[in-house]
C-alpha cells in the first residue's frame, strides 16, 4: 500500500508511507493475509488492481475463506470482478465419498486395527468439520453466481456424478467402448433472413 500508484488508493499510500517508518512489519503465517498488487501507466491512461484476501481456519491453520478481486480502469472506464469462497470440511467430505467408492474389506480390516490401537492410547479425537461451501461471483458490484452447498446437497451431487460415471460401463463390452453415431440438426433463420442449417455429429 505504501508504493501504490492506483488512483483510488494513492492518498492512502502517502499515509501508509508515514506509518511504515514507525510500525515494524510483523512476521505472520501466509495463510492469513491481505495481498495487494497494482499497476498504473499514466502515459496510456490505464491500470489495474489485484487483491487476494485469505483467512485461515482456527482448527486446521489453512485458509478457508478466500476473496479474489480484480479491478481495471482505462480512459475513465472501470471494470470490477470479485470471487468470494468459503470452504469448510471439504477435505473430510471428499475423503468420505472417495472412501465409499474404493471400499475394500481388507482395507476396512486394516483400518479397524489402527482404530483399536488409537483407542487403547486414549488419544482425544476431534470431529471433522461440517461441510460448508459458498461461492459468490460479482461483476461490477452485481452478483452473477451464488452457490451454497452443505453435507446433504454435496452427497446428492456425488450420487449424480456416480450415476453419470456408471453410464460408461452400460455402453461398453469387455471394457471396450461402443460408439453410437449421433446427429443433431436444427434449422434457424439467420440475421439477414436466409435459413441456416446447424448440424452436430459425434
Amino acid at each position: 500500500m505504501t508504493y501504490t500508484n492506483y488512483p483510488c488508493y494513492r492518498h492512502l499510500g502517502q499515509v501508509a508511507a508515514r506509518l511504515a517508518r514507525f510500525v515494524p512489519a510483523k512476521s505472520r503465517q501466509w495463510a492469513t493475509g491481505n495481498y495487494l498488487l497494482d499497476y498504473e501507466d499514466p502515459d496510456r491512461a490505464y491500470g489495474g488492481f489485484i487483491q487476494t484476501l485469505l483467512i485461515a481456519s482456527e482448527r486446521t491453520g489453512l485458509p478457508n475463506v478466500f476473496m479474489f478481486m480484480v479491478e481495471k480502469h482505462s480512459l475513465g472506464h472501470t471494470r470490477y470482478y470479485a470471487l468470494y469462497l468459503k470452504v469448510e470440511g471439504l477435505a473430510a467430505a471428499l475423503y468420505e465419498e472417495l472412501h465409499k467408492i474404493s471400499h475394500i474389506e481388507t482395507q476396512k480390516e486394516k483400518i479397524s486395527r489402527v482404530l483399536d490401537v488409537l483407542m487403547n492410547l486414549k488419544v482425544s479425537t476431534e470431529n471433522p468439520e461440517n461441510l460448508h461451501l459458498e461461492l459468490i461471483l460479482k461483476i461490477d458490484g452485481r452478483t452473477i453466481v451464488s452457490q451454497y452447498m452443505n453435507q446433504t446437497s454435496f452427497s446428492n451431487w456425488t450420487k449424480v456424478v456416480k450415476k453419470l460415471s456408471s453410464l460408461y460401463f452400460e455402453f461398453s463390452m469387455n471394457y471396450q467402448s461402443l460408439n453410437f453415431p449421433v446427429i443433431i440438426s436444427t434449422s434457424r433463420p439467420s440475421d439477414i433472413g436466409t435459413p441456416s442449417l446447424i448440424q452436430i455429429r459425434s
Side-chain angles (χ1 to χ4, degrees):
M1 187 65 79
T2 304
Y3 303 104
T4 183
N5 291 319
Y6 200 69
C8 298
Y9 300 105
R10 190 173 295 165
H11 65 286
L12 294 176
Q14 297 173 359
V15 177
R18 293 178 190 149
L19 291 174
R21 295 185 299 166
F22 303 102
V23 179
K26 291 183 178 180
S27 61
R28 52 180 170 74
Q29 295 181 351
W30 65 271
T32 297
N34 190 13
Y35 304 97
L36 306 171
L37 174 66
D38 65 350
Y39 64 93
E40 176 75 19
D41 190 343
D43 297 332
R44 295 178 177 84
Y46 72 86
F49 177 77
I50 300 172
Q51 179 180 10
T52 302
L53 176 66
L54 305 176
I55 301 175
S57 170
E58 295 179 358
R59 296 185 61 181
T60 62
L62 296 174
N64 65 347
V65 177
F66 306 86
M67 186 194 80
F68 305 101
M69 188 183 79
V70 177
E71 189 174 345
K72 59 181 181 177
H73 65 277
S74 176
L75 300 174
H77 299 283
T78 303
R79 295 288 286 176
Y80 168 82
Y81 303 91
L83 177 65
Y84 303 90
L85 284 173
K86 184 175 182 181
V87 181
E88 290 181 355
L90 183 61
L94 285 174
Y95 173 79
E96 184 179 345
E97 293 298 329
L98 291 174
H99 183 67
K100 290 178 184 176
I101 295 172
S102 61
H103 182 67
I104 303 174
E105 292 298 327
T106 57
Q107 291 181 353
K108 183 179 179 182
E109 185 177 344
K110 291 178 182 178
I111 291 173
S112 63
R113 290 179 184 175
V114 173
L115 289 175
D116 291 339
V117 172
L118 291 176
M119 294 298 284
N120 291 333
L121 292 175
K122 297 181 180 179
V123 179
S124 59
T125 58
E126 291 185 0
N127 295 326
E129 291 180 328
N130 294 326
L131 180 65
H132 182 94
L133 178 63
E134 293 180 24
L135 184 145
I136 302 172
L137 175 63
K138 289 187 175 183
I139 297 178
D140 293 335
R142 298 176 181 175
T143 301
I144 305 300
V145 177
S146 178
Q147 187 69 36
Y148 169 75
M149 192 175 289
N150 58 11
Q151 188 67 45
T152 305
S153 57
F154 183 76
S155 299
N156 294 336
W157 180 76
T158 53
K159 288 177 183 176
V160 171
V161 172
K162 289 176 187 176
K163 289 179 181 177
L164 290 175
S165 63
S166 65
L167 290 176
Y168 171 77
F169 296 104
E170 292 181 7
F171 293 100
S172 63
M173 184 178 295
N174 295 332
Y175 295 100
Q176 295 179 1
S177 299
L178 301 177
N179 295 323
F180 297 93
V182 177
I183 299 176
I184 302 173
S185 62
T186 179
S187 178
R188 296 180 178 273
S190 64
D191 292 338
I192 59 175
T194 58
S196 62
L197 179 64
I198 301 172
Q199 286 189 347
I200 301 173
R201 298 187 179 190
S202 65

